[in-house]
Amino acid sequence: MLRLLPKSIGWNVYNEPRRAVHESRPACVARKPSCITRLMAAGISERISAFVEALPLKPGLRVLEIGCGPGVAARAVARRIGDGFILAIDRSEKAIRLARAGSADEMALGCLDFRHAAIENFALRSGDALFDIAFAMRVGALDGRHPEAGRAALTRIKAALKPGGRLFIDGGDPLKEIDLVRGLPS
């Protein structure tokens, strides 16, 4: 049975799979063909490959992925941050189940974990360390589709990031950084 979320919560491909759309090849792919080829060999779409490759990742970082879906980008990030850690969240329980099922190796190594949470309600747990970077692809609360949820999301993201922490979303070439002081464009 297909469960629809209230409009204020936002659309999620795992709750409404028929609404999923496919994008054309990102313009940045032409500039980094070897990186894209390497990631594509791991079974990642060009769009996700280009986005992950553009993130300023390095070993040891703590990363928060917002709206992780089945965990494809989270696994790619885990491979790039070495002894770092990525926590990936999604509002869909089904997406989190899929992500965990496909990420057993990374989770066993302790470099990746998943949580069922909407970003506008997300809070660190006792003992959680702050994150260096947060990123999101196709998250309605962060791309302007749901402004009220976006304001709540930014508050939660700021609380989860270290001072100077950075937030990246899709919509650039292939990503753009959100100024956490000024917030989302209205």
Side-chain angles (χ1 to χ4, degrees), residues 25 34 41 57-59 71-72 78 86 91 100 110-111 150 156 173:
R25 176 182 158 118
S34 63
L57 300 173
K58 61 184 179 184
V72 174
I86 178 166
R91 70 174 62 251
R100 286 182 177 141
C111 63
R156 299 299 182 140
D173 185 15

Side-chain angles (χ1 to χ4, degrees), residues 47 78 81 89 144:
R47 179 184 62 84
I81 58 174
I89 66 170

Side-chain angles (χ1 to χ4, degrees), residues 50-130:
F51 188 96
V52 169
E53 193 62 36
L55 287 169
L57 300 173
K58 61 184 179 184
L61 286 180
R62 287 185 52 81
V63 179
L64 174 65
E65 181 183 6
I66 302 154
C68 66
V72 174
R75 288 187 294 275
V77 168
R79 287 189 288 272
R80 294 207 34 224
I81 58 174
D83 61 349
F85 176 77
I86 178 166
L87 175 64
I89 66 170
D90 200 289
R91 70 174 62 251
S92 166
E93 288 182 54
K94 182 177 181 180
I96 294 298
R97 281 194 307 273
L98 290 169
R100 286 182 177 141
S103 306
D105 293 341
E106 294 86 353
M107 291 176 68
L109 292 171
C111 63
L112 173 60
D113 199 7
F114 296 94
R115 275 189 210 157
H116 174 230
I119 188 56
E120 59 270 22
N121 301 317
F122 176 74
L124 294 174
R125 293 179 180 164
S126 178
D128 281 350
L130 296 174

Side-chain angles (χ1 to χ4, degrees), residues 23-33 36 46-47 50 172-174:
E23 285 188 359
S24 62
R25 176 182 158 118
C28 61
V29 170
R31 292 194 300 269
K32 296 185 177 183
I36 302 307
E46 288 183 15
R47 179 184 62 84
D173 185 15

Side-chain angles (χ1 to χ4, degrees), residues 141-145 147 151 154 169 176-179 182-186:
L142 296 173
D143 67 10
R145 289 181 280 164
R151 287 186 290 277
L154 284 179
I169 65 170
K176 63 182 173 181
E177 185 168 3
I178 298 298
D179 181 342
R182 292 181 7 172
L184 295 171
S186 52

